[in-house]
Amino acid sequence: MQATAFSPHDHTHCISSAITHAKGLCAERDVRLTPVRQRVLELIWQSHKPIGAYELLASLAKEGFNSAPPTVYRALDFLSEQGLLHKLESINAYVGCCNPDTPHQGHFLLCQVCHQAQELDSQYITLALKVSADQHGFEMHHHTIEVVGTCQECLNKANMSEAT
Ligand SMILES: [Zn+2]
Ligand SMILES: [Zn+2]
Ligand SMILES: [Zn+2]
């Protein structure tokens, strides 16, 4: 099995590599990762649990940033345009993207128990959808797939507590 958001891992590494990656991309594209944009990205990467805009606003306010909603929404728009995050429509929350170099659609596994999200390598899913959409002469613009279920870790925990 692949290393995932669900299995225990050194998450500080996820955060630092996401931020380093974002800085590199923004420099390459000649766009500015302002302090508030960077902080929003760090807050999103705080964990693999998708985070809502209100929670972000509250954290920024506590830290003394300009936390007016437009500031936060503009930062979210920027990060989304740069492919650094995905929005999960069903729960109205944001999650960091693991592969911001190449534009792609968001495909996620969402665990209903621990509420973490794992992004799926998506090219085959997109291709399968495109083939199906083509059959209807339909031009696809964007989509997000959110698969709700239970992760391996939570399944193991449930099995363990059943056994005792
Ligand atoms: Zn992590
Ligand atoms: Zn992604
Ligand atoms: Zn879980």
Side-chain angles (χ1 to χ4, degrees):
M1 235 176 35
Q2 264 181 306
T4 73
F6 303 125
S7 47
H9 63 280
D10 177 11
H11 187 62
T12 53
H13 178 76
C14 297
I15 303 174
S16 60
S17 82
I19 300 304
T20 310
H21 205 146
K23 283 181 179 165
L25 273 185
C26 289
E28 219 171 85
R29 294 171 184 168
D30 204 17
V31 292
R32 281 188 65 215
L33 189 66
T34 59
V36 70
R37 288 167 175 175
Q38 183 176 328
R39 191 60 195 139
V40 168
L41 189 63
E42 286 166 358
L43 288 169
I44 288 170
W45 271 102
Q46 198 163 224
S47 76
H48 292 283
K49 287 182 198 166
I51 183 170
Y54 285 106
E55 221 178 307
L56 289 169
L57 283 167
S59 299
L60 287 172
K62 241 185 265 166
E63 294 173 9
F65 277 93
N66 172 2
S67 61
T71 311
V72 175
Y73 284 108
R74 271 200 301 270
L76 287 169
D77 282 346
F78 170 84
L79 295 169
S80 165
E81 275 161 26
Q82 298 304 322
L84 294 165
L85 58 76
H86 293 282
K87 185 176 184 189
L88 300 179
E89 302 288 345
S90 71
I91 50 175
N92 202 12
Y94 301 88
V95 67
C97 177
C98 307
N99 180 23
D101 297 282
T102 28
H104 57 268
Q105 303 292 321
H107 302 147
F108 287 92
L109 301 177
L110 293 180
C111 177
Q112 262 184 316
V113 182
C114 64
H115 303 292
Q116 300 191 98
Q118 168 66 42
E119 187 165 2
L120 293 175
D121 181 5
S122 60
Q123 48 184 327
Y124 297 111
I125 303 172
T126 301
L127 192 63
L129 278 173
K130 192 181 175 332
V131 169
S132 303
D134 279 349
Q135 289 169 354
H136 296 272
F138 187 87
E139 184 190 83
M140 293 205 307
H141 292 169
H142 56 80
H143 66 266
T144 306
I145 295 177
E146 303 165 29
V147 182
V148 175
T150 312
C151 76
Q152 182 80 63
E153 283 292 304
C154 292
L155 282 173
N156 290 345
K157 276 182 209 152
N159 289 340
M160 258 161 30
S161 60
E162 256 167 47
T164 52

